Amino acid sequence: MRHATRFIEQEMASKVLKVDIAWGSALFAITAFLLIPATHQLFVEVSQTHVYLMAFAKFSLLATMGELLALRIINSEWVKPKGLCWRALVWGLLGALIALVFYLYATGVSAALERGLLPTFGKEGMMAKIVFAFFTSILMNLLFAPTFMAFHRVTDTYIDMADGKITRIMQLELTDVLNQIDWNSFIKIVICRTIPLFWIPAHTTTFLLPPEHRVLAAAFLSIALGAILALSKRGQHKEVSIRQAR
């Protein structure tokens, strides 16, 4: 019996390792594609020509990879969440929105600095770039990010409650979905911790880059975004289970 159990555990560990390698290989391939000069230039050109389409593809792929990674860390194995295709679709649509928001806040902050509506430290030099990047990041994360993250939490909860089935999603009441969400945990973890401790510094660095490279930075930050949001939500469920066990 022990040998059979050990064999099953070894088989499961082997399968997990294979998917680990596949996930890592996919990330490596994407990274290589973006870093090789020829393909990087192609990526930048296509991103500039087809802004929304490329943002959709980038976020639907990389942010979904982030969610899968979070589930892998939490469960110690690869788990396919219910409604994976719908989650990827939502990420893609949000990615297209983020492409617009990046442009809006960058140009808005530049105009505000130029008109003296925000404090500046000169119009040129590294300090001026840091001030621009910081104000763009902090305004975007304080004004846009909470709404964006709350909306994503709602769409995720719709998918969870409907077991990923579109017919059941259409039957759910918004009130029931909102009541299912632990808003206390959402505010404390996602809003009060991840925004000031991670997203504002991360996006400050992003906006220090030239515009043509920000999309590349956003592509990799989307992996972290998917992982953080999934981890916070799963962590909330784990806390609930512990309280119930007590």
Side-chain angles (χ1 to χ4, degrees), residues 107-173:
T107 54
V109 168
S110 292
L113 288 168
E114 213 169 286
R115 292 194 59 183
L117 297 176
L118 291 170
T120 61
F121 293 89
K123 293 186 177 181
E124 295 182 1
M126 191 61 194
M127 183 56 69
K129 292 179 180 178
I130 292 173
V131 169
F132 158 76
F134 176 72
F135 277 125
T136 305
S137 177
I138 197 169
L139 288 172
M140 184 179 72
N141 279 289
L142 293 180
L143 301 178
F144 167 73
T147 303
F148 158 74
M149 291 176 174
F151 177 79
H152 185 264
R153 178 60 60 88
V154 170
T155 58
D156 246 12
T157 305
Y158 261 108
I159 296 170
D160 287 339
M161 291 178 67
D163 291 328
K165 298 177 181 178
I166 187 63
T167 52
R168 294 185 62 181
I169 289 175
M170 302 301 291
Q171 295 171 358
L172 289 171
E173 294 289 339

Side-chain angles (χ1 to χ4, degrees), residues 8-55:
I8 293 172
E9 290 176 349
Q10 289 175 345
E11 282 293 304
M12 290 179 64
S14 177
K15 289 180 180 179
V16 169
L17 179 60
K18 288 179 182 178
V19 182
D20 285 347
I21 294 172
W23 191 96
S25 299
L27 183 61
F28 177 80
I30 294 169
T31 305
F33 177 83
L34 295 173
L35 291 179
I36 295 172
T39 52
H40 169 71
Q41 185 59 35
L42 174 64
F43 176 80
V44 170
E45 290 174 1
V46 175
S47 294
Q48 291 174 339
T49 307
H50 305 283
V51 177
Y52 294 125
L53 182 62
M54 285 299 291

Side-chain angles (χ1 to χ4, degrees), residues 77-91:
E77 61 179 337
W78 291 97
V79 178
K80 180 183 177 183
K82 296 175 182 178
L84 182 61
C85 292
W86 294 115
R87 295 175 195 275
L89 175 63
V90 170
W91 272 123

